[in-house]
Amino acid sequence: MNDLELVERFQKGDEAAFNELVHRYKDKVYWTARRFLQDHDEADEVVQQSFLKAYKGLKTFRSDSGVFTWLYRITVNTALNVLRKQRAREFLGIDELTSESGPESDRPDEQYERGEEQALVEEAIRRLPEKQRAVFVLRFYDQLSYEEIAEILNTSVGGLKANFFHAMRKIEEYVKSVHGS
C-alpha cells in the first residue's frame, strides 16, 4: 500500500494506517533529527513531536507534496526550533555539549582518533548557520536531491546549492583551523 492510500485510510478512521506510516519513516525521521541535534534523547523527543504534529495534521493532509516530504519538513522545522531554544539557553550560560564515540576499531588509538575527528566535524556542523546546516544535513547525510530539499525547506534549488557549497567550505575551514593545517 502506498503512502497516499495509507493517508486516505487514516482520514477514514483507520489508526493502523498511521502506525504503518510511523513504522515506514521512524528511522529516517530519527536520523534526520539526530544529525541536527547530535543527542539521542533530544532526537527522540523531536521524533515524538514530529509524529504528533503529523498525526494532528494528517486529518487535513491534501497531498500537495508527498507524505515523506511533508514529514521531513515537519521534522526539520521541529529540530530547528529545538536548536533555537538551545542557542537561547547557551546564551544565558547553560552549556550543553554532547559527543558521540567514534566507529569501532581493533586498535584503541585509531578508535580514539576517529572519535576526535567525528567530534570535530560535528562541532563544525553545529557552528553553521541554521539554513546551511539544514541543507548540509539533508544533502550530505540523508542524500536527498536538491529538488527534494527545496520542497522540504520551501526554497530555490540555486540557493540550496550555494548554501551547501558554503557549508562545506566552512566545515573544511573549521577543521583546518583546529588542526592548524
Side-chain angles (χ1 to χ4, degrees):
M1 192 171 304
N2 71 36
D3 290 349
L4 292 179
E5 290 170 333
L6 288 171
V7 169
E8 287 175 19
R9 284 183 50 200
F10 174 76
Q11 290 174 338
K12 292 177 183 174
D14 183 358
E15 296 284 325
F18 181 76
N19 292 340
E20 175 59 30
L21 288 171
V22 170
H23 179 72
R24 211 172 264 188
Y25 294 117
K26 67 181 177 194
D27 291 338
K28 289 180 180 182
V29 168
Y30 170 80
W31 285 108
T32 297
R34 180 67 186 263
R35 289 182 185 114
F36 275 92
L37 300 168
Q38 307 295 322
D39 180 80
H40 170 72
D41 293 332
E42 289 177 344
D44 265 353
E45 182 65 28
V46 166
V47 170
Q48 290 176 17
Q49 289 175 18
S50 297
F51 280 118
L52 180 61
K53 289 175 184 177
Y55 182 86
K56 291 176 180 177
L58 206 54
K59 295 177 194 309
T60 58
F61 182 77
R62 295 183 319 248
S63 71
D64 294 338
S65 63
V67 174
F68 175 74
T69 302
W70 177 72
L71 190 53
Y72 253 60
R73 186 177 299 136
I74 291 171
T75 304
V76 168
N77 288 334
T78 304
L80 288 174
N81 286 337
V82 170
L83 284 174
R84 286 182 193 106
K85 289 177 186 173
Q86 283 179 350
R87 286 196 186 115
R89 281 184 279 166
E90 288 171 4
F91 181 74
L92 296 172
I94 301 170
D95 195 20
E96 182 172 73
L97 296 174
T98 60
S99 65
E100 258 185 61
S101 60
E104 295 300 319
S105 172
D106 292 338
R107 295 181 41 199
D109 60 327
E110 288 177 3
Q111 185 177 356
Y112 177 77
E113 189 173 309
R114 272 192 235 121
E116 279 188 334
E117 290 171 0
Q118 181 180 350
L120 186 61
V121 170
E122 289 172 357
E123 176 61 25
I125 293 168
R126 275 192 290 276
R127 291 173 173 265
L128 291 172
E130 282 180 12
K131 190 164 188 176
Q132 288 178 8
R133 183 179 189 170
V135 172
F136 180 81
V137 166
L138 294 172
R139 179 76 177 148
F140 186 80
Y141 287 113
D142 295 334
Q143 299 179 347
L144 297 178
S145 70
Y146 286 114
E147 291 75 18
E148 290 171 311
I149 299 169
E151 192 171 341
I152 289 167
L153 298 178
N154 199 25
T155 190
S156 73
V157 171
L160 292 175
K161 288 180 179 179
N163 277 307
F164 184 75
F165 173 78
H166 290 300
M168 291 291 288
R169 286 191 70 148
K170 287 178 181 178
I171 291 168
E172 181 182 10
E173 288 170 5
Y174 180 79
V175 170
K176 283 181 180 179
S177 72
V178 171
H179 277 298
S181 303

